[in-house]
Amino acid sequence: DQQVKQNSPSLSVQEGRISILNCDYTNSMFDYFLWYKKYPAEGPTFLISISSIKDKNEDGRFTVFLNKSAKHLSLHIVPSQPGDSAVYFCAASQIQGAQKLVFGQGTRLTINP
Amino acid sequence: ETGVTQSPTHLIKTRGQQVTLRCSSQSGHNTVSWYQQALGQGPQFIFQYYREEENGRGNFPPRFSGLQFPNYSSELNVNALELDDSALYLCASSLGASGGVYEQFFGPGTRLTVL
């Protein structure tokens, strides 16, 4: 039972353009959502998060949008840079209780010069 | 400030053997979570330890067990290894356990191969 899904295994974007990564979830109890970035041979690193009381959170080039009715979130990266090439994981959790993160399968983003 | 470290980096075992993986949490963090990441998948939550007590467990059998020590470092033990246990095992540390959101900092992982 995949509670968090990233349906695009890979995405290729030209440098300077916008990258949009998508994520869907099924569990309506999730109230906190995160994006992690992972380079080869490194652990995932936190990028940006959003709680369910908001529909948008912005941090520099990164913006996360949450659509609770559609159970959908997206990560926008503008402008995309070569260093953004990595695997991006969407994760969800509940604020109450243990900090159990439920991850999607990941999307490999490649930024082309 | 030292980040999360894990040892060993790589490990090869055979079916039926037992393995112990180690994790040193980031300075000041009292919570450690373990995740299993199979090839091509996202990390899956195994369990979490808060102040030396198990504080939540994912859908993993009892042959996956853990410990957290007074210095908040942690071990993951897997008994009776199966081929499907081959994966990257990630440790994440954070400050606090419940009633809030605390950023989890991940180590680089231990790659376990079961033959």
Side-chain angles (χ1 to χ4, degrees):
Chain A
D1 175 27
Q2 191 75 30
Q3 297 185 68
V4 178
K5 292 182 183 179
Q6 293 176 256
N7 291 317
S8 299
S10 63
L11 177 67
S12 187
V13 174
Q14 197 166 1
E15 183 179 357
R17 301 276 193 155
I18 183 171
S19 295
I20 300 176
L21 295 97
N22 294 303
C23 177
D24 297 296
Y25 63 96
T26 57
N27 189 342
S28 57
M29 298 297 291
F30 290 143
D31 54 10
Y32 198 74
F33 304 89
L34 309 91
W35 284 93
Y36 278 83
K37 173 179 176 179
K38 188 178 187 300
Y39 293 118
E42 294 182 13
T45 53
F46 170 77
L47 256 183
I48 192 168
S49 62
I50 188 167
S51 80
S52 59
I53 62 172
K54 293 186 173 182
D55 53 20
K56 176 183 172 180
N57 189 27
E58 196 170 347
D59 183 3
R61 298 186 297 115
F62 302 91
T63 303
V64 56
F65 295 91
L66 176 62
N67 182 333
K68 288 186 290 294
S69 59
K71 293 190 176 70
H72 177 84
L73 63 154
S74 61
L75 174 68
H76 293 211
I77 307 173
V78 180
S80 300
Q81 299 174 354
D84 296 330
S85 295
V87 177
Y88 288 78
F89 291 100
C90 165
S93 70
Q94 294 177 245
I95 292 176
Q96 293 301 319
Q99 300 163 46
K100 168 185 173 180
L101 295 178
V102 180
F103 284 86
Q105 307 96 309
T107 296
R108 181 177 299 280
L109 175 65
T110 302
I111 306 301
N112 302 306
Chain B
E1 185 181 82
T2 308
V4 178
T5 60
Q6 292 186 244
S7 62
T9 308
H10 296 88
L11 202 50
I12 298 175
K13 292 285 189 177
T14 55
R15 267 189 309 174
Q17 284 190 312
Q18 178 265 344
V19 70
T20 297
L21 310 181
R22 294 179 175 81
C23 171
S24 290
S25 57
Q26 186 162 313
S27 176
H29 287 182
N30 54 18
T31 302
V32 172
S33 303
W34 285 92
Y35 293 83
Q36 180 197 65
Q37 186 181 6
L39 203 59
Q41 301 295 316
Q44 259 194 299
F45 177 77
I46 303 174
F47 43 55
Q48 181 183 90
Y49 280 83
Y50 171 63
R51 293 187 175 176
E52 303 178 58
E53 297 285 331
E54 188 178 288
N55 184 50
R57 189 177 182 92
N59 190 25
F60 280 82
R63 58 189 187 83
F64 285 77
S65 63
L67 278 175
Q68 187 180 31
F69 300 100
N71 66 354
Y72 302 132
S73 66
S74 177
E75 283 182 357
L76 164 65
N77 298 291
V78 187
N79 292 322
L81 283 166
E82 300 177 1
L83 295 179
D84 284 350
D85 296 333
S86 295
L88 180 68
Y89 288 84
L90 294 162
C91 165
S93 75
S94 57
L95 180 63
S98 66
V101 180
Y102 304 92
E103 183 182 339
Q104 295 189 26
F105 294 81
F106 283 83
T110 292
R111 172 75 60 190
L112 172 65
T113 302
V114 182
L115 302 176

